[in-house]
Amino acid sequence: MFVVAGTPPMFMATFNATLGPASPIVAGLAGGALFVLSGALWGVPFAALVRTPTIGNGIAFGLVPALWLWVVVAPVMLGKPVFFGFALPKLSLPFVFNCLVWGTTVGWYAGADAPAADGEAQASVASS
């Protein structure tokens, strides 16, 4: 986004607004690392709270950080209106990244990594 359109991605803008102006390289690398770390940390309560993880559950769980961006980060950290003034590109990116990308990935991964049901576990032990 930054290279093509000249507009810094939200994680770069948030990094600069929170920790002070930095070069695009520093803001991109550090902001990107913090973005990935926050996504990984948000996966912990998902895995702990969701009993049957699915892609749909992941997408639904991803709405919470999207709402956080729209309602808290935009006005408090970035000085933008709530929900970014309903500007479609700014409104859609948190949904795409938090729900569609993060939610589907975490929902799929946690679902694939979930322990087998008791009947399946006993059947696999019996066949061994």
Side-chain angles (χ1 to χ4, degrees), residues 7-31:
T7 307
M10 198 174 313
F11 64 84
M12 286 176 70
T14 304
F15 179 86
N16 284 330
T18 305
L19 300 174
S23 74
I25 293 172
V26 170
L29 291 175

Side-chain angles (χ1 to χ4, degrees), residues 26-103:
V26 170
L29 291 175
L34 291 170
F35 176 75
V36 170
L37 179 63
S38 67
L41 291 175
W42 187 238
V44 172
F46 175 80
L49 295 173
V50 178
R51 299 230 187 264
T52 54
T54 64
I55 291 173
N57 290 342
I59 291 171
F61 209 79
L63 280 173
V64 175
L67 282 169
W68 174 259
L69 285 169
W70 293 326
V71 176
V72 176
V73 173
V76 175
M77 297 176 135
L78 300 177
K80 305 287 183 190
V82 174
F83 289 98
F84 292 101
F86 295 96
L88 190 57
K90 296 276 187 181
L91 190 60
S92 62
L93 287 176
F95 178 78
V96 167
F97 286 110
N98 288 304
C99 297
L100 300 183
V101 174
W102 181 90

